[in-house]
């Protein structure tokens, strides 16, 4: 049965005011329109709700039963609408975004500072997670958008590429390969390398780009995170192949990044959002600043 909200509204107004005329005035309706609403509601219920005389209107037994329930419906509806308003007001005071840890460390400090100047009083919640975790948080609505690796997309998410980030060889300044202007992958044969876990998007990209030749390299160590790989390089035990932004995720003193070629391996960073849910204005502002920061960050370089 469809709920006749307008009919219930008319019923409660008449019951509380004791007359059709007073109720019609309260609802800004003609008495004819009000009577039509009550007639439809009574026909739907199959029973009269009012006893009408020339002087007064009183409730039937069915009307007496319905009145407290109808009042409760409108009280619950009013509470629900108030909760939505409060959620929207609180939502305007904070934006949640998901991004890769390397992006979070390199870009977010300056982006949040610029956002604070543009939107004073609006907070930012950063979820620095893996690519798969970011997609899940966007899909669930926990974050409004995410900065992640462009790969196979879910049907209900939209992913727009922003910039290509090269993978580089990270070396301690005192190690032999640190002096090279660039290196081919063939020149890495026999060198001790730190490998990222196969569960990460970065590892998948490298394995796909190298194909069978990856087995000719000496992967002596394996870690779960890019930051850990860079930290191992600092100890001088080997080299690591990581995204360019990874050096900004740690204190880069004593480390250098050497470009790699033959092949050049890159990862495409992009913005992921839900297809059917438009971003709020505050989220669009943060997204614009973050996209600009990404484009500025990925430039050919060699750390001095």
């Amino acid at each position: 049965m469809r709920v006749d909200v307008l009919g219930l509204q008319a019923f409660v107004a008449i019951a509380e005011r004791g007359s059709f005329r007073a109720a019609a005035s309260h609802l800004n309706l003609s008495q004819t329109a009000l009577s039509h609403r009550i007639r439809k509601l009574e026909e739907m219920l199959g029973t009269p709700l009012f006893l009408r005389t020339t002087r007064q209107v009183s409730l039937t037994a069915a009307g007496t039963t319905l009145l407290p329930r109808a009042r409760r419906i409108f009280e619950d509806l009013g509470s629900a609408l108030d909760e939505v308003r409060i959620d929207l007001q609180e939502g305007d005071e904070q934006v949640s975004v998901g991004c890769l840890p390397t992006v979070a460390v390199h870009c977010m400090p300056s982006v949040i500072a610029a956002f604070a100047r543009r939107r004073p009083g609006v907070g930012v919640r950063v979820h620095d997670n893996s690519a798969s975790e970011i997609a899940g948080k966007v899909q669930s609505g926990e974050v409004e958008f995410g900065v992640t690796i462009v790969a196979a997309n879910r049907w209900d998410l939209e992913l727009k590429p922003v910039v290509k980030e090269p993978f580089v060889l990270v070396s301690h300044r005192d190690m032999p390969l640190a002096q090279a202007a660039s290196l081919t992958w063939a020149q890495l044969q026999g060198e001790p390398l730190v490998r990222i876990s196969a569960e990460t998007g970065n590892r998948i990209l490298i394995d796909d780009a190298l194909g069978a030749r990856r087995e000719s390299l000496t992967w002596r160590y394996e870690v779960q995170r890019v930051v850990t790989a860079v930290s191992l390089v600092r100890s001088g035990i080997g080299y690591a192949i990581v995204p360019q932004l990874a050096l900004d995720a740690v204190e880069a003193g004593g480390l250098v990044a050497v470009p790699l070629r033959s092949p050049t391996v890159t990862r495409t960073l992009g913005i992921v959002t839900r297809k059917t849910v438009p971003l709020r204005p505050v989220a669009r502002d943060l997204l614009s600043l973050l996209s600009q920061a990404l484009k500025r960050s990925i430039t050919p370089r060699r750390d001095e």
Side-chain angles (χ1 to χ4, degrees), residues 195-270:
R195 196 175 214 173
I196 309 297
S197 168
E199 299 176 359
T200 66
N202 291 324
R203 166 72 174 274
I204 293 170
L205 289 172
I206 292 173
D207 285 355
D208 288 348
L210 294 181
R213 83 177 75 181
R214 67 178 179 268
E215 301 305 328
S216 65
L217 300 175
T218 306
W219 302 103
R220 186 164 297 169
Y221 310 101
E222 182 169 317
V223 297
Q224 300 297 309
R225 297 182 179 276
V226 168
V227 172
T228 309
V230 175
S231 296
L232 288 182
V233 172
R234 177 174 290 105
S235 70
I237 65 172
Y239 305 93
I241 292 94
V242 300
Q244 178 178 302
L245 293 182
L247 281 189
D248 297 295
V250 296
E251 176 56 45
L255 302 178
V256 295
V258 182
L260 289 168
R261 53 189 173 83
S262 301
T264 298
V265 183
T266 64
R267 67 176 185 177
T268 301
L269 301 180

Side-chain angles (χ1 to χ4, degrees), residues 131 148-154 159 201 204-205 268:
T148 186
I149 301 172
V150 174
N153 199 12
R154 304 186 188 187
L159 208 155
I204 293 170
L205 289 172
T268 301

Side-chain angles (χ1 to χ4, degrees), residues 22-62:
S25 176
H26 171 70
L27 296 176
N28 197 27
L29 293 171
S30 67
Q31 290 192 49
T32 300
L34 184 68
S35 297
H36 177 69
R37 290 186 181 183
I38 291 299
R39 185 165 56 254
K40 282 184 59 179
L41 181 62
E42 289 177 331
E43 290 175 354
M44 183 184 72
L45 294 174
T47 185
L49 297 172
F50 294 105
L51 296 171
R52 303 169 178 82
T53 68
T54 56
R55 293 189 176 183
Q56 65 179 10
V57 174
S58 59
L59 292 171
T60 64

Side-chain angles (χ1 to χ4, degrees), residues 148-215:
T148 186
I149 301 172
V150 174
N153 199 12
R154 304 186 188 187
W155 67 269
D156 55 346
L157 299 180
E158 182 174 358
L159 208 155
K160 295 183 178 179
V162 175
V163 67
K164 283 190 175 183
E165 177 187 11
F167 283 82
V168 296
L169 181 82
V170 179
S171 170
H172 190 280
R173 189 182 299 276
D174 296 332
M175 296 182 70
L177 298 184
Q179 307 307 315
S182 67
L183 292 165
T184 66
W185 289 84
Q187 290 175 291
L188 302 185
Q189 290 186 10
E191 300 291 346
L193 300 176
V194 181
R195 196 175 214 173
I196 309 297
S197 168
E199 299 176 359
T200 66
N202 291 324
R203 166 72 174 274
I204 293 170
L205 289 172
I206 292 173
D207 285 355
D208 288 348
L210 294 181
R213 83 177 75 181
R214 67 178 179 268
E215 301 305 328

